[in-house]
Amino acid sequence: MKKRMKLRSISPFRINFDLKMKLSTLLIIVALFQVKANETYSQKTKLTLNEQNVSIERVLDKIETLSDFKFAYNEKIFNYQRIVSINVHKERISSILDKLFIDTNVDFEVYNKQIILKIRQQSLSFLDGDQSKQERKKVSGTVTDEAGIPLPGTSIIIEGKLIGTESDFDGNYSISIPDGATTLIISYVGYQTQKIIIGNQTVINITLKEDSNSLEEVVVLGYGTRSRKTIAGSVSQISGKVLENRPITNVMNGLQGVLPGLTITRSSGRPGGENYQLNVRGLSSLNGGNSPLILIDGIEGDLNLLNPNDIKTTTLLKDASAVIYGARAAGGVLLITTKTGKKNQTPQVTYSTNYSTNVISNLTERVNLKQWVEMDWEAKTAAGAGAQFSGGGTLQEVLDKIDRGAEPDDIGGNSFLFYKLEDWDGALFDDATQQNHNITITGGSERSDYSTSLGFTRTDGILKNAWDSNERVNLRLNHGYDITSRLRLETKISFDRNRNLEGAWGSNEVFNQRNKIFTWFPVFSESGNNYVTQWGFGNPRQIANRDQGKRTNISENLRGNFKLNYKVNDDLKFYTQVGINKGEGSRENFSAVSLRWNYNDTSAGTYRSKNNLFLSSSESNYKNLTAYFDYHKIFANKHDISLMGGASHEENENKSFWASRQDFAQTEVLSLNLGDAENMENGANASHWAIKSFFGRFTYTFDSKYIAEINYRRDGTSVFSPDKRWGDFGGVNLAWLASEEAFIENLNIFDHLKLRVSQGTTGNQNLNTGNLYDYIALINIGGQYPFGNGEKAQSASEGGLVSENRTWENLKTTNFGFDFAVLNSKLSGSFDLFKKENNNMLLGVNLPSVLGGAPPAQNIGSLESTGFELSLKWTDQLSEDFSYSVGAYLSDNTNKLVDLDGRDRVSSTREGYALGTVFGYVWDGIIQNQVELNEYKSLTGIPTNIAIGDARYKDVNGDGRISVYDDNGNDADVVDLGTNSARYSFGVNLAARYKGFDASAFIQGVGKRTVFYSGAFAIPFEQPWWQPLKRFYGNTWTPENPTAKYPRLTTGGTRHWNYRNSENTKVNGAYARLKNITVGYSLPKNVLEKAGISSLRLYLSGEDLFTIDAIDGGYDAENTDGSDTFYPFTKRYSVGLTLTF
Amino acid sequence: MKNYNIKFLTLFVTVAMLLGCEKDLNLAPLDQVSDASFWKVPGDFEKAANAFYRSLASHANGGYDQNSDITVGGSSNVNSNGSLIIDNGPNWNGSYSTIRATTRITENYEKALDIQSDIARYAAEARFFRARAYHNLVSTFGDVPLITKVLTLESEELDAPRASRADVVAYILEDLNWAIANLPLQSELATNEIGRVTKGAALALKSRIFLFEGTWAKYHASGDASGYLTTSINASQELIGSGEYAIFMGSSTAEAYRNVFLEAGEGSSESILARRYNLDLEISHNTTRWVSTFHNAPTKKLADMYVCTDGLPISISPLFQGYDTMISEFENRDPRMSQTIITPNSGVAQLGSLIDLPSIGSGNGNSNSGYLSYKFFSDNEESQLGKGYYDYIEFRYAEVLLNYAEALYEKNGSISDANLNTSINKLRARVGMLSLTNTLVTSNSLDMLEEIRRERTIELAYEGFRYNDLRRWKQAENLLPVNLRGVKYTGTEYETSPPNNSKTISVDSEGFVIADNVSLRSCDQKLYLFPIPVEQIKLNPNLTQNPGW
């Protein structure tokens, strides 16, 4: 078999040589304009030739001599020795080649200066029929995507005729229109098909829109891809577009509420410290492993560090489809694919940016000075204690002093009572800014494609004059290269760097103090120079201040991902992939000496008498080596078989080291060696794990209607003892493409209807929470006990009892679902019902405590989760100018601890109840009078000093005692008050486009959730020296206000009784939040073309602007644990642009 | 073409084979040693023994004894008022954890033959802590399962029934005797070993445990009272005779007692074993600030127990000045009174603010009884800002002297003046009080046992002894179900020119503040032994519950 390639040009990279040289100047913009100029070489250059009776090869040689053009062709495809004659005068290369190859099957593509000769594609051969000789009208134009990037290979077909063409590499097309033809149909994989009335137009430029719901869309699965139409499992995929043009700081910020079945929560608004948590379809285990496995281009990765703009698709495997990832897939699998260039694409540069102003939202409301004094007076009096302001006169006198802004009262001991209202929030907070910049350059030649990007994001926090910011830089180069026609190399290299700054006390501490200190303390001392402190309180303004020190936290991540694809023939392919993630983390915490001052500027001691510097550095090395093959063949046109199989090895090692010193004489140069050696400390940690896997998938599709898929994986881990190390995971997906059946087609209802059912098992191995060597008995060394004169004596203790019998938790997932499209696919949707059963959940065995240690976890528990997901989408194009779409989804899940090995105790993990269930008493109103009080006091288990105005709970079991358990250990008076989990998560997407204008809105919410606040948020005077928050003002019981929601104010012991968990303290955490609203305008193409710009879109965007909920007092609905140290979220008002040229 | 095929198939197969290699999965920890490689050098045993020191009693928030009749908090204590329910009973997991950890040392000591002489002291420390753990169990629950080896998940002993109190006490005695034989004297400790368990500490523990067991046996009519008391007496005598310890005398009788517990008394020869705090290691406590919140206030019971300077109780002493003013009752009293309770208007200040004016009521800065606690309150500014570094002394010489006097009297029904002089009168001398003598007792119709118990209560007030003392004396049923009273309110300055206003104060018929009302207090017989945790009974079918629970 002689298949010699004859490549006329020497180096394939030569294609890009000019471009690369110029980019290397780093003057990106300048270089790009030069690139633009080069694009037109083939158009500008005109040649004169006169060759008679020579071989084609000689003509080509001649052209190469006369110009910079280079030819590449396979000698087999045509006879280049054929004798021709040609005579042209100052003609373009395309015209010359047209003449040269007329009446042959040779096609050519001009790529910059490279010309590739090839056989005309089969699909176009029908153009060469008789019709081509008829006289026809011609229509031409350019096909681009929404960003203005030309789409080569777009199919343009004339409706009703078997005539069509494809766009060329510049997106240009030209087609002859036969008589009677009225409409063009333009389609391209992954884009919405468009129909255009031809009318009298001769130039028709077409912009295709990406279609995420398209049935032909390529969906990423584990170790392969598949068209959406033929997917048998429950898989959601969204395109990276949903993350573009939004002022988001982080991938998870952008994914929140976008994928049905994926719940993303955040617990802080601190830049870079949001603590996003991902969960797919509810909880799978008590032991963690509830968040999905995240794979970026097939290799495990960290979403926090990823540039949202680099994402091409995000795919969520929810059911037995995840089985292919076996032991780590119990929480589902999130597959991220990054953007690549396209072959035969001219270089495109996209610059996008947005600037935001971030405005604090939902700050818990503080009481003002008068309200504080009134509440304190009431509460202290009730407790028989003296009111804080009792030194300032009677209540009325104090209130009068406040009205006239009296000078402070000196009450001795350097303490003062203040009568002027302080604007603490003004002193603490300010609007902040945020900016995103991204430059992406993509392109490709016949053999290679590339996409490279540089991103920068900076978010400043809302704390004034504080270290409170996050910066991320992302660099990425994705490159694909066909080494031969069979062998392709794909490299994806990225570098991410995140730098987070915080004050020495931590930003959360500012909120902790802000929510607790007395409202009426002044910020500054009498002289105005010092931050005031009194009675040991922290001054939040001081705590926030830059002069207190700084925490710098830097993470860097270098990822290399190399994949070699080898095509043996059209059916069989081999893939070998190597992934390396190298993570580096460093912390530098400097804490300055911190002084405390009384209002009269006398010293009140120190918060911290010695400065100190803490340094830590950590390193992680992750390696992944994977090899698999993929075989696909269709037999007898009906039997479509694919078989995939392979193996992988993953290993990870973490190391960290830290050291600290105190007492730096100066703080100009902060280097560890300059600190006092007396109290230096250091330490180190290290851990590692490894997993080996074998996996396979067999898919059989019969007649394009019936799909059966079997996934299998065998995993071995270092975490379990050799005997229990290997686990087998498998699953089956079945689907029926009903709309392919004649009897369904005849109904004329469904454009698409697919029924799916699947069942499979996955494992739960949470590798991030320690327990890496649970089968080896270990000794923990640590602690310090001060013998002698501060001897730092370490201690050694048993590292927990071990079990050699532990193994994987097995999670069985069953899914039933269907997808449909009706009304010409204007309405489409899908519905899934699922059940997850963890039948050998790891639980600590319950053994008598005489054992003397916690028994190791063994596979004895059982948890069951059920739920559904529903998504619907309506898209319609009313005219060429106006289109709109509405999408919505709703999902829900609940779980139940079926078996907890007989442990039936009132707790958030209780047999027969959902995880996180909150138990509480039954609210029975407030004790209104002496009669009610006397009657209630006949019960035991109530506070001895209970009084009128205090809470009353029902004695549910009637044993005369308010208690959790009765004497026999059974439940007494507590009931299930609900769980903190989000129920009925929903999202609504609205989008519309009119000519150049586009608008979209995205609403996300939770239909049901029970929240209980904690700390200062939960109880007024939780500690008598904490301020009561505004929510309680006027809402507590007094004889004059007997119908108040909350019991009387008191600093006495009954306050905790009054705010025990009950229906009365339960907060309805349901909400709907306008996550994003965007209005954009794309400038008309004809205007931009003159400036050499392919597209320019300007937009205004807002994040989290508006929320509907039932919560008062400034609490945030997303603060799901109700913590009083919560850093609030911000609303973002943003302006941005996207420029492509 | 063939070449490519072969090359890449070879590559693929090679990679696949690499992936199949099982041994990559045998990973050992990188920053922890395994149990199998531990227990090789003396340092290993030392580290293992170090783990127990954090379990020594530490500073409580404002001192102990709120479970008894001598102090009272803002809310009523369930032990003191007898309302303890089974759910809130003490757990025993902690003690059995200590027993496991200590037994791991003793078992490995037996195996480490080549280094045994170097590690005997650590095995002795382990047995000291094991004896202490079993004492906690026995004194709390009575009979408990006696576990003498390290259990595995399959051990039959997991379902062990309760061993008799006598058997457990015998086991304790064996541990203590071994520990005493193998521990160094205080004076033999190297500087960097100060703070470790000594022979003296083991003797002190023996003195304490066998006084407890002896009096328990006597008053609860079970066991060998006389034998136990003799064991206690001998242990106390050996410790006293060692000359290793002495009462801290300080610089003046007005400060000496208070300073035992503060910076000035740190590391004194009165301290036998203490929980240590350290400035450099930032191991600190907030005790001074807690004391100053007065949430653990002295009761009238405690205040009245201090005798007058003539050695007589206030009921008969002519020196007693009555309750008419805020400070009258503090006059002519045992100086330990004003070193335990703040004398109003005496100038006690915290960070410059005076805190010596009683404000009656619950809540921060108020005293429920009107009396203000003072013991453990430091004048040091760091301590007042919340960073106290003074040690908490769990075993001090004073207790051993008190144990000695009490055991002697309980065993013999009498105590000689000589023995009083080697014990209780050392404590009286510290504060410049008259000695307790048999003559004083008989000539004033006093009861020597009551005087010995009085001495113990006031000397050890706030140190957590009182409740267990009431239990072993079988006096809880008599002394707990009473009004816990405070200062005299009716007709005194507290009523006529109150330091603070807006109060609802309940008083008894004599005009004393009622801090905790008798109507809500009781003491059932079952309370002498605590309930075994219900969960443990569910898990072990052989475990029985204490009577009454």
Side-chain angles (χ1 to χ4, degrees), chain A residues 851-919:
Chain A
L851 176 62
Q858 298 200 6
N859 305 81
I860 51 174
S862 165
L863 177 75
E864 198 174 283
S865 305
T866 52
F868 70 87
E869 284 134 23
L870 168 68
S871 61
L872 292 170
K873 188 169 185 187
W874 173 268
T875 17
D876 200 3
Q877 180 156 10
L878 295 180
S879 73
E880 242 172 84
D881 289 333
F882 183 69
S883 63
Y884 71 96
S885 70
V886 180
Y889 79 80
L890 175 67
S891 69
D892 184 38
N893 65 74
T894 55
N895 66 69
K896 190 169 131 181
L897 261 171
V898 177
D899 186 359
L900 200 53
D901 195 36
R903 280 201 269 187
D904 183 33
R905 301 190 49 226
V906 173
S907 74
S908 57
T909 53
R910 182 174 190 192
E911 202 166 283
Y913 292 86
L915 287 177
T917 297
V918 177
F919 290 90

Side-chain angles (χ1 to χ4, degrees), chain B residues 410-479:
Chain B
E410 291 283 10
K411 178 165 179 275
N412 305 325
S414 65
I415 183 169
S416 68
D417 282 356
N419 281 335
L420 284 172
N421 287 339
T422 39
S423 58
I424 283 175
N425 288 334
K426 293 249 192 268
L427 305 176
R428 293 206 164 191
R430 166 177 22 218
V431 291
M433 278 291 293
L434 279 178
S435 289
L436 176 66
T437 60
N438 281 292
T439 318
L440 183 83
V441 169
T442 46
S443 59
N444 292 288
S445 309
L446 301 174
D447 174 1
M448 182 58 88
L449 180 59
E450 196 183 317
E451 293 311 305
I452 291 171
R453 287 178 176 180
R454 173 204 302 284
E455 191 69 25
R456 180 179 178 89
T457 304
I458 61 169
E459 175 68 29
L460 301 179
Y462 279 96
E463 292 176 56
F465 287 92
R466 178 69 175 172
Y467 182 60
N468 276 340
D469 287 347
L470 295 180
R471 288 174 62 228
R472 63 190 174 88
W473 298 334
K474 211 164 183 296
Q475 287 295 316
E477 64 208 69
N478 303 323
L479 297 177

Side-chain angles (χ1 to χ4, degrees), chain B residues 169-233:
Chain B
V169 171
Y171 190 71
I172 290 174
L173 183 61
E174 198 185 309
D175 268 348
L176 285 174
N177 287 341
W178 200 91
I180 290 163
N182 287 282
L183 283 166
L185 289 170
Q186 178 76 27
S187 55
E188 291 167 356
L189 290 184
T191 313
N192 63 2
E193 293 172 347
I194 303 290
R196 299 201 79 91
V197 170
T198 57
K199 195 186 293 286
L203 286 167
L205 179 59
K206 192 173 171 186
S207 154
R208 176 190 292 177
I209 292 173
F210 285 89
L211 172 65
F212 192 104
E213 291 304 321
T215 47
W216 186 277
K218 183 171 173 180
Y219 293 105
H220 293 263
S222 69
D224 177 12
S226 173
Y228 288 163
L229 289 169
T230 307
T231 306
S232 174
I233 292 163

